[in-house]
Amino acid sequence: RPIGYAIVGLGSYATRQIMPNFAGCDHARLVALVSGTPEKLQRYGEQYNIPATHHYSYADYDRIRNNPDIDVVYVVLPNSMHAEYSIRAAQAGKHVMCEKPMAISVAECQAMIGASRKAGKLLMIGYRSRFEPYNRLAIDLARRGHVGPTRIITSEHGFPIKPNQWRLDRPLSGGGSLMDIGIYSLNATRYLSGEEPVSVSAIEATDRSDRRFRTVEDRISFLLRFPSGIEATCVSSYSSAHNAYRVVGTQGWIDMEPATPYEGHAMRIRKDGVVSPRVLPAPSKNQFAGQLDHLAECIMNGTTPIVPGEEGLADLRVIEAIYRSAAEGRTIAMTA
Ligand code: NAD
């Protein structure tokens, strides 16, 4: 039978992007809902044909243990709740899919990895771009040296954030634009290079008189050095609109703009002075269905996801170094 998913947290991302995309899956299906709002359980239960026996509140969340239809718990809650709900899912004997950022600290990521390992269950992070055809093509081209060996990666991710939401409340978000949207730039530099940074320098620019930014940062720029000599310069922002990366090699560049949206990606390549107007990847299922099916196939085949908990941990290690560099005004060396 297909692998059964329970969704925890029926907010914007879960209900608008994830839940509708089970329809395009071959191996994953939506079987249970967890929410603190009875009206949402009722509404989405009817929409997705999920009976009341498979509805849970946060108070009776641990009862998922007794429901054999649930194979995976997909945590789509505010960032600071990821660790607790992922660990409780593992303790209930379930595989876990957890949204990005994996958690709000390295220590939490390590606890999540430990809990899933102890339970003998898989843990995967919702890095959807790894299942998105343009990004997959960009990874392949960059790592094959299509425009020569990569020397520089630039990436910018940001959007002007609306006030009054958990993303701007540090206890729930764990940080500002970097945790939420800048992580796409960071993650891209790691997947495009296939390397881990050896040093991190960052500066922050936040207008603390803007009421949105009382507890979290607005803009933070960071420079990463990689072992092969690749340098990545990235901008993360909560006050400007951009979503792009560019991989620059010795013979030209691969440009993605927008790079990591839900849809509408575009790629251009300049090689040896010639610009190809628009490069198209081979058609395949969309990134949401691809991500959901990937964990399902890993469970069925006994394989490890391409974005396991260790990937989320690797990003949090760099995020902590970025914040430390900006706070202390110095370059941070990453130790293995
Ligand atoms: P949201 O605010 O729309 O949804 C959050 C849900 O959590 C809501 O249903 C809310 O009721 C529930 N919740 C439970 N306890 C809460 C509390 N104490 N405070 C606030 N809400 C509480 O947020 P979202 O945009 O759906 O984001 C949820 C998670 O998904 C975040 O970790 C975010 O980073 C991630 N996300 C990922 C992507 C992606 O493209 N991969 C996109 C958007 C969001």
Side-chain angles (χ1 to χ4, degrees):
R1 67 165 173 83
I3 296 297
Y5 276 72
I7 302 284
V8 188
L10 303 180
S12 165
Y13 188 61
T15 61
R16 293 186 199 173
Q17 308 304 329
I18 298 301
M19 285 153 59
N21 275 299
F22 280 98
C25 289
D26 298 318
H27 307 292
R29 66 184 179 129
L30 179 58
V31 299
L33 302 171
V34 184
S35 171
T37 312
E39 184 271 327
K40 284 189 194 171
L41 291 171
Q42 169 91 29
R43 174 157 42 111
Y44 293 112
E46 277 170 19
Q47 185 176 339
Y48 290 97
N49 207 11
I50 296 167
T53 51
H54 291 50
H55 297 182
Y56 299 87
S57 67
Y58 295 111
D60 57 20
Y61 176 62
D62 299 300
R63 285 201 302 108
I64 57 171
R65 171 194 308 276
N66 305 322
N67 189 334
D69 293 338
I70 301 172
D71 302 293
V72 178
V73 172
Y74 190 163
V75 179
V76 204
L77 291 164
N79 307 341
S80 70
M81 301 171 75
H82 291 182
E84 180 192 337
Y85 282 84
S86 296
I87 290 169
R88 281 166 65 185
Q91 288 170 344
K94 306 300 179 184
H95 302 284
V96 174
M97 177 86 82
C98 178
E99 257 316 310
K100 48 54 67 177
M102 177 173 175
I104 61 170
S105 70
V106 165
E108 283 188 346
C109 295
Q110 289 167 334
M112 292 163 72
I113 291 169
S116 288
R117 198 173 288 160
K118 189 171 170 203
K121 297 290 164 180
L122 298 179
L123 169 59
M124 173 169 154
I125 310 305
Y127 285 127
R128 57 179 168 74
S129 297
R130 296 290 296 276
F131 304 94
E132 189 283 312
Y134 282 89
N135 278 273
R136 289 167 59 146
L137 177 59
I139 292 170
D140 183 48
L141 293 171
R143 297 207 198 167
R144 279 199 289 111
H146 180 68
V147 291
T150 303
R151 302 304 300 148
I152 292 168
I153 300 171
T154 59
S155 182
E156 298 183 8
H157 277 83
F159 65 94
I161 194 161
K162 295 193 176 72
N164 305 320
Q165 52 169 307
W166 65 260
R167 284 181 170 76
L168 298 170
D169 183 11
R170 179 175 289 273
L172 284 168
S173 61
S177 71
L178 179 58
M179 280 282 181
D180 191 47
I181 188 78
I183 191 173
Y184 286 93
S185 287
L186 164 59
N187 197 246
T189 68
R190 293 181 50 253
Y191 61 67
L192 292 166
S193 66
E195 299 178 21
E196 296 300 326
V198 290
S199 78
V200 175
S201 325
I203 54 170
E204 189 197 318
T206 303
D207 176 359
R208 294 288 171 187
S209 71
D210 184 326
R211 70 190 173 99
R212 294 173 299 174
F213 306 127
R214 284 201 192 113
T215 67
V216 300
E217 83 280 359
D218 170 13
R219 276 175 289 161
I220 191 158
S221 301
F222 50 98
L223 185 131
L224 310 174
R225 291 223 162 93
F226 291 88
S228 68
I230 296 173
E231 279 203 359
T233 54
C234 303
V235 176
S236 169
S237 164
Y238 261 165
S239 58
S240 45
H242 29 177
N243 183 316
Y245 60 65
R246 176 176 279 200
V247 179
V248 186
T250 53
Q251 291 170 255
W253 42 253
I254 301 161
D255 198 74
M256 282 274 281
E257 204 281 303
T260 64
Y262 295 152
E263 57 187 3
H265 300 70
M267 178 187 282
R268 288 189 317 152
I269 296 175
R270 181 184 179 101
K271 184 173 179 177
D272 297 328
V274 179
V275 178
S276 59
R278 193 178 157 96
V279 183
L280 294 174
S284 68
K285 67 179 102 163
N286 76 29
Q287 58 189 327
F288 306 102
Q291 175 191 314
L292 294 165
D293 267 345
H294 178 68
L295 180 55
E297 288 183 270
C298 288
I299 293 167
M300 295 187 297
N301 302 333
T303 52
T304 304
I306 61 167
V307 277
E310 285 77 3
E311 271 291 307
L313 169 64
D315 274 353
L316 258 293
R317 277 169 46 80
V318 182
I319 286 174
E320 287 191 353
I322 290 170
Y323 283 137
R324 186 146 31 98
S325 173
E328 297 177 8
R330 64 184 180 94
T331 299
I332 306 293
M334 301 296 293
T335 46

